Amino acid sequence: MKRFVLALFCFSLVVSAEKRPLTHADYDGWRHIQNQKLSDDGRFLAYALFPQEGDGQLVVRNLATGKEFRETIGQLPPPPPPNPAASEEGPAPVRGIQLAFLRDSKTVVFSGFPSRAAVDEAKRKKTKPADAPKNDLCVMDLASGKVARMAKVKSFQVPAKGDGFVAYLHEGGGDLVLRNVVSGAERRFPGAVEYALTKDAQVLAFADAAGVYAVAVGKEDAPKAVLSAKAKYAKLTWDEAQKELAFAGAGKLYLWQRDGSGDAVAVSMPGADLVVSDKGAVTFSKDGQRVFFGYAAKAKAAVKDETPAEDRASVDLWHWKDEHIQPMQKVQATMERNRTYRAVYHVADKKLVPLADAAMAELSTSGEGRYSMGGDDREYRPLWEYDERYADSYVIDNLTGERKLVAKKHRGRTTWSPDGKYAIFFDGKDWNTVSVPDGKLTNLTAKATVKFWSEEHDSPGSPQAYGLGGWTKDGKTVLLYDHFDVWQMAADGAWAKNVTQGVGRRDRLMLRYVRLDADPDDKGIDPAKPLLLRAEHEDTRDSGFYRVSLVGNGAPRKLTMAAKNLANPIKAKNADVLVLPVSSFKDAPDLYVTDGSFASLKKITDSNPQQKDILWGSAELVHYKNTDGAKLSGILYKPENFDPKKKYPLLVYIYERLTQGLHTYVEPRPSHSINVAYYVSNGYLILEPDIAYKIGYPGQSALNCVLPAVQAVVDQGFVNENAIGIQGHSWGGYQIAYMITQTNRFKAVAAGAPVANMISAYDGIRWGPGIPRQFQYERTQSRIGGTLWEYPMRYIENSPIFMADRVKTPVMMIHNDADDAVPWYQGIEFYLGLRRLGKEVYLFTYNGEPHGLRRRPNQKDYTVRLQQYFDYYLRDAAKPDWMARGIPYLEKPGVVVAGPDSEPQQ
């Protein structure tokens, strides 16, 4: 009996220790860390910990004792609408809480979102947006962990260089509140709409509909009227020394001295047709002697058209000489209506100078505010549609407004030196400085023996720079990067120095400067202090940190390296305490604490403890040559319980070059593309090959790289050659659509938002920004390298639609009807062509969704269908009902079905 009990006990231990595969139900509870901050003294770390769905927590950890306080902070809101200017494959905007320690490291202040339960209840009741749950403000005492919560808070401010107080504004025209974080005492100022707390926490300025006021913090004195007049006041801003307040209102700029020596001084624009705008930012120069603000033309009274709407013509004229086509004008209409131009007011001279105007709408001003640089792009605006963006660059004298031409048809933005004596820009090949005010151009890199532009660039447009590390504090030198090393170059071109002594190139390490200065007012690199460099190995993608000095000629010293992704750290302002995320494919990006020596890294978070019970996988590099003989690499992901004697289904995911993600953690989550963690956990091999391109032949380039990569994995003997699939989205989707017209290597493919017809796509529109797609084919990703009329055969030969009759592979597509990057009709063209030819094809269109899925229910739906599709073809799973019979429109969820004698159904 005892032996039986012991055997049963041992068996139960084995069963309990067994891991399981990921399921789609695991996504919601998977958590991620964000907004990590250190207190100035380095004793406390605070961060937000959010699941994909459900309420998150604010965690505050005492790094010395390990004690933690946790406070519920609600559920992350859904992502905002897509940004028309964003890249089609760029990540969704980051959502997160606001978080700040007070300077004395005794209090942490943070925002919170409504709970999931409250949001769900509001949805159920169809609550109006004005009455929907609002954000909270939380104030935590770091000694006790006690939290005071304030409801319906729109925004808050904490003093950067003061203690004891926080100011916050309620939602919907509520009170402005000044709170003593120690005693909890509050002063309320009803009706306030704008406010600005000084950095030293001594004065709070605020505006309501009747005027602008200032009140001494910590005293019971009544607010002092800075200005008493009914108007809309905005952009309350203190200067660097916190002695002067500037704000806009009633079409004027106002200045007020904190010492109360006088009333607010009004500054007006010259002429009756121009006004100071309450929309443009108000900023001071670093010395406080200049105030920059926005101005605009005085609004004209609207003329109401009394013609009934049904009797009016509604028409757009697409004129051949328009600077921008109508859709682009429409996208930019709101911005243009609200556009402001920069002007400056010189405080000592009492002189106002308009700087920007319609000819030069954008400019960049040096920190000391004496000069600006701007660009006149009017001559080159039509080129946006098929070329790059250019401008004629000018140095502007902010005292007189005089403009001096320094560069014709220049591309790229300028970066100012801290002293404002130089600006630097990259011209597509070299780095150039502009000496101010004489406008002298100096090419810093033309004579270098290494390249400062991306050597892997393989599209027709100008390559990107490897990057700029920053200026030294004195403004005399700047740090620039080649592929591997860091260079220090004199701004006047007199000398150049390889700071890292060629160690990066010798050891194939990409070395990059890491800024650890916690003070945002500290604008430059201190050349007397050693530099921290992040290192990443070009071949293995191992990463770590080195240290080097700008003084002398010493080689960089290795601090730590690991076969992981060591991200840039944050540092406590007044202590040698650093915190950084560390991750790999199988290790979530948890936080580690160390010091400046990096002698030890101590893990201090465990964001997803449930992962220990789940089958995961491993990531390794595979090497191959494309058909042109070029050496390339790819990432091969294997299941955790991988057995080289077995045969596995293989899924290929493609875009362009992907091996830089070798040590990237793949969070299990629904999406419009395969989730590597899910598929590997469920017994698939995943291959992500790098692709190198030949201009003019993008489709063939992909084929010439992907097939050899697949073969390199097959040759290892553990792939089921009858179970190879491929998936990609956007550019990846196009390449898949092309490849299946050339090869039958794949058992099933899933192509997301593919371009099928380069001819119609060339003259199509990217509806997000409203811009023609011609630039993409002539200059960027699609890599044709010229117009349709220069290379008609290239457009045809790279278009899957013209070879659709060759397709023998089942095709699953997703292309949404609100796609803002690749026009929906491209997916429709390919679907209709394949359908007409009797090919097996499925097209999913999620209504109202842009280029990628944003709504989580849609993400979950497509994720399951994608898995069902590949499981059917690559693992002999049962055929899902939607593949067998489709989804008839009348059976679509939400469609009302009603007959003459029946009740409506949902």
Side-chain angles (χ1 to χ4, degrees):
M1 181 66 180
K2 289 182 179 179
R3 290 179 181 175
F4 174 78
V5 172
L6 180 60
L8 184 63
F9 175 73
C10 292
F11 176 77
S12 67
L13 284 178
V14 171
V15 171
S16 64
E18 287 184 354
K19 295 184 178 183
R20 64 171 178 83
L22 278 164
T23 71
H24 298 305
D26 290 316
Y27 300 143
D28 289 356
W30 220 267
R31 301 185 298 178
H32 63 278
I33 292 169
Q34 64 172 233
N35 295 60
Q36 56 265 27
K37 296 282 179 66
L38 282 166
S39 59
D40 282 359
D41 63 6
R43 289 190 302 139
F44 295 97
L45 168 70
Y47 61 91
L49 185 62
F50 283 108
Q52 291 179 27
E53 285 196 44
D55 296 339
Q57 293 179 317
L58 191 284
V59 183
V60 180
R61 181 183 179 92
N62 186 313
L63 294 177
T65 67
K67 184 178 180 180
E68 289 185 346
F69 300 126
R70 292 178 178 247
E71 183 72 12
T72 300
I73 50 175
Q75 178 173 267
L76 277 174
N83 177 5
S87 167
E88 64 180 43
E89 280 292 284
V94 175
R95 300 162 291 149
I97 65 165
Q98 290 179 272
L99 165 66
F101 283 98
L102 267 64
R103 188 185 59 163
D104 60 7
S105 301
K106 295 180 179 179
T107 307
V108 63
V109 183
F110 52 96
S111 60
F113 300 113
S115 69
R116 181 179 183 181
V119 171
D120 289 347
E121 179 68 7
K123 289 179 181 177
R124 186 182 66 81
K125 292 182 177 180
K126 298 182 179 179
T127 305
K128 295 179 180 179
D131 301 323
K134 300 295 190 294
N135 292 355
D136 290 338
L137 172 66
C138 306
V139 179
M140 178 184 285
D141 174 65
L142 293 175
S144 65
K146 292 182 178 179
V147 176
R149 297 185 81 106
M150 282 61 73
K152 298 182 179 180
V153 172
K154 180 180 181 181
S155 64
F156 72 87
Q157 293 180 14
V158 298
K161 298 180 180 179
D163 295 311
F165 291 88
V166 58
Y168 64 91
L169 186 65
H170 279 290
E171 288 274 4
D175 296 344
L176 171 67
V177 181
L178 181 62
R179 182 182 178 89
N180 185 313
V181 298
V182 178
S183 67
E186 294 186 337
R187 290 191 68 183
R188 294 178 175 270
F189 308 98
V193 293
E194 291 267 350
Y195 65 106
L197 183 63
T198 56
K199 291 181 181 180
D200 59 11
Q202 297 298 306
V203 178
L204 173 67
F206 63 92
D208 61 21
V212 179
Y213 312 87
V215 62
V217 175
K219 299 180 181 179
E220 295 302 318
D221 300 348
K224 174 183 175 60
V226 172
L227 178 67
S228 296
K230 290 184 178 181
K232 177 184 177 182
Y233 299 101
K235 311 300 180 184
L236 276 65
T237 307
W238 292 99
D239 70 346
E240 189 76 15
Q242 309 292 283
K243 294 180 179 179
E244 191 165 21
L245 177 73
F247 56 93
K252 299 176 182 179
L253 175 73
Y254 292 91
L255 298 172
W256 179 76
Q257 297 295 322
R258 172 174 162 177
D259 62 12
S261 58
D263 296 330
V265 176
V267 180
S268 300
M269 292 297 299
D273 296 332
L274 300 177
V275 294
V276 174
S277 173
D278 57 16
K279 295 183 177 67
V282 174
T283 59
F284 281 90
S285 61
K286 197 166 186 179
D287 61 8
Q289 292 302 303
R290 301 170 184 88
V291 186
F292 296 88
F293 58 93
Y295 77 93
K298 190 174 182 180
K300 297 179 180 179
V303 178
K304 188 175 181 180
D305 187 348
E306 301 293 346
T307 306
E310 60 270 22
D311 293 335
R312 291 185 222 146
S314 180
V315 62
D316 298 324
L317 172 61
W318 297 47
H319 195 283
W320 72 289
K321 287 191 174 181
D322 284 344
E323 283 187 344
H324 301 304
I325 64 171
Q326 286 287 320
M328 194 171 180
Q329 293 180 44
K330 183 178 179 180
V331 169
Q332 294 181 334
T334 299
M335 180 182 71
E336 291 299 328
R337 289 191 192 102
N338 296 321
R339 181 181 288 281
T340 63
Y341 301 106
R342 300 301 279 167
V344 62
Y345 180 71
H346 299 271
V347 178
D349 298 329
K350 294 183 172 58
K351 182 178 181 181
L352 188 151
V353 182
L355 300 175
D357 53 28
M360 190 179 297
E362 305 293 336
L363 51 81
S364 169
T365 301
S366 62
E368 48 80 44
R370 181 62 180 83
Y371 295 94
S372 296
M373 282 201 69
D376 183 350
D377 66 352
R378 291 174 297 172
E379 181 180 348
Y380 313 110
R381 286 177 187 171
L383 300 185
W384 292 13
E385 300 176 5
Y386 53 86
D387 199 343
E388 301 182 57
R389 297 193 175 188
Y390 304 101
D392 297 334
S393 292
Y394 294 79
V395 170
I396 302 118
D397 186 329
N398 292 345
L399 189 60
T400 64
E402 179 185 357
R403 300 171 181 177
K404 184 173 184 177
L405 179 66
V406 294
K408 285 286 292 180
K409 203 176 182 181
H410 156 248
R411 59 181 295 277
R413 67 183 185 89
T414 57
T415 302
W416 283 97
S417 62
D419 59 3
K421 293 182 179 179
Y422 289 93
I424 189 169
F425 66 89
F426 181 72
D427 64 10
K429 184 179 180 182
D430 290 304
W431 286 99
N432 301 265
T433 55
V434 181
S435 174
V436 178
D438 60 20
K440 180 183 177 182
L441 282 178
T442 302
N443 190 317
L444 299 185
T445 56
K447 296 180 180 179
T449 56
V450 294
K451 295 180 176 64
F452 289 82
W453 46 270
S454 175
E455 294 156 276
E456 289 184 344
H457 181 77
D458 53 12
S459 64
S462 300
Q464 296 296 312
Y466 282 118
L468 180 150
W471 288 88
T472 51
K473 286 179 180 291
D474 58 13
K476 294 181 179 179
T477 66
V478 64
L479 299 186
L480 302 174
Y481 303 137
D482 69 17
H483 193 155
F484 297 104
D485 288 297
V486 182
W487 293 74
Q488 183 182 16
M489 296 195 174
D492 62 3
W495 56 271
K497 170 186 173 183
N498 189 324
V499 173
T500 48
Q501 299 294 303
V503 168
R505 189 167 294 273
R506 183 194 70 193
D507 297 341
R508 296 189 62 75
L509 294 171
M510 293 176 287
L511 300 170
R512 300 296 184 257
Y513 167 65
V514 179
R515 179 181 174 184
L516 289 176
D517 301 323
D519 189 350
D521 298 329
D522 192 0
K523 303 298 184 184
I525 300 167
D526 188 342
K529 295 180 180 179
L531 304 183
L532 180 67
L533 305 176
R534 184 180 183 273
E536 182 172 330
H537 197 281
E538 173 80 354
D539 302 321
T540 67
R541 296 298 167 179
D542 294 356
S543 64
F545 296 94
Y546 279 62
R547 198 174 296 282
V548 73
S549 176
L550 293 179
V551 180
N553 295 302
R557 178 171 57 89
K558 183 172 76 173
L559 303 176
T560 186
M561 286 290 290
K564 294 181 183 245
N565 178 18
L566 277 65
N568 286 351
I570 58 172
K571 180 186 177 299
K573 183 176 182 180
N574 302 321
D576 186 20
V577 178
L578 287 78
V579 167
L580 67 155
V582 178
S583 62
S584 69
F585 171 64
K586 62 183 179 180
D587 299 305
D590 278 300
L591 301 179
Y592 286 66
V593 65
T594 186
D595 59 25
S597 71
F598 286 84
S600 66
L601 288 167
K602 179 182 177 183
K603 185 179 178 182
I604 53 175
T605 65
D606 187 10
S607 56
N608 289 286
Q610 76 277 16
Q611 185 177 321
K612 69 181 184 303
D613 300 320
I614 292 175
L615 290 169
W616 210 256
S618 61
E620 63 188 54
L621 289 176
V622 293
H623 305 287
Y624 57 96
K625 292 181 180 179
N626 69 6
T627 56
D628 292 328
K631 294 180 179 180
L632 294 169
S633 300
I635 306 173
L636 178 63
Y637 299 93
K638 295 177 178 177
E640 182 175 329
N641 51 7
F642 174 76
D643 182 350
K645 297 179 182 179
K646 292 183 178 180
K647 297 287 187 179
Y648 292 87
L650 173 66
L651 258 180
V652 183
Y653 176 81
I654 61 170
Y655 193 70
E656 292 186 338
R657 291 182 185 264
L658 297 170
T659 49
Q660 67 272 17
L662 176 66
H663 296 310
T664 298
Y665 181 75
V666 180
E667 181 183 36
R669 65 165 52 246
S671 177
H672 52 259
S673 288
I674 62 170
N675 181 269
V676 173
Y678 174 86
Y679 282 87
V680 171
S681 180
N682 282 272
Y684 281 85
L685 297 170
I686 304 291
L687 173 64
E688 294 184 350
D690 283 345
I691 300 172
Y693 297 93
K694 183 178 179 180
I695 294 172
Y697 307 94
Q700 194 66 37
S701 296
L703 188 74
N704 292 347
C705 295
V706 173
L707 291 186
V710 170
Q711 191 61 46
V713 177
V714 168
D715 288 344
Q716 297 186 49
F718 43 71
V719 174
N720 178 355
E721 289 202 65
N722 293 318
I724 301 176
I726 188 170
Q727 191 269 328
H729 193 80
S730 190
W731 182 240
Y734 155 71
Q735 292 170 104
I736 290 169
Y738 174 86
M739 284 192 287
I740 59 174
T741 69
Q742 308 295 311
T743 180
N744 299 322
R745 185 63 155 136
F746 303 104
K747 185 71 175 290
V749 306
V755 165
N757 184 345
M758 284 198 172
I759 294 176
S760 58
Y762 171 78
D763 281 325
I765 292 173
R766 185 175 293 220
W767 290 104
I771 190 170
R773 292 176 52 83
Q774 294 163 341
F775 76 94
Q776 180 154 343
Y777 299 87
E778 295 185 40
R779 302 287 289 180
T780 63
Q781 188 176 59
S782 295
R783 296 176 168 89
I784 295 298
T787 70
L788 175 61
W789 305 277
E790 291 175 288
Y791 302 112
M793 292 310 299
R794 288 186 184 181
Y795 282 84
I796 293 173
E797 291 168 358
N798 283 284
S799 296
I801 194 67
F802 297 109
M803 299 168 284
D805 58 324
R806 303 179 186 176
V807 174
K808 295 182 179 179
T809 310
V811 181
M812 177 176 172
M813 290 191 291
I814 178 175
H815 211 146
N816 303 321
D817 55 14
D819 194 312
D820 50 355
V822 179
W824 182 32
Y825 60 70
Q826 286 294 314
I828 293 173
E829 279 194 51
F830 203 42
Y831 165 80
L832 290 177
L834 293 173
R835 173 186 166 93
R836 173 65 181 83
L837 292 162
K839 311 292 184 179
E840 183 178 354
V841 59
Y842 310 90
L843 171 61
F844 282 93
T845 295
Y846 288 85
N847 306 137
E849 286 277 31
H851 190 58
L853 295 173
R854 292 297 182 96
R855 293 188 63 243
R856 193 165 177 86
N858 291 339
Q859 293 172 342
K860 288 182 174 182
D861 182 83
Y862 188 69
T863 294
V864 172
R865 297 185 192 279
L866 195 60
Q867 171 246 315
Q868 292 172 337
Y869 172 76
F870 280 125
D871 276 0
Y872 172 73
Y873 277 109
L874 307 186
R875 305 189 69 173
D876 296 324
K879 179 178 267 191
D881 186 60
W882 62 264
M883 286 183 67
R885 59 183 294 270
I887 306 175
Y889 182 79
L890 291 179
E891 296 178 20
K892 176 181 173 180
V895 173
V896 177
V897 181
D901 300 315
S902 64
E903 293 295 324
Q905 300 177 29
Q906 291 291 330

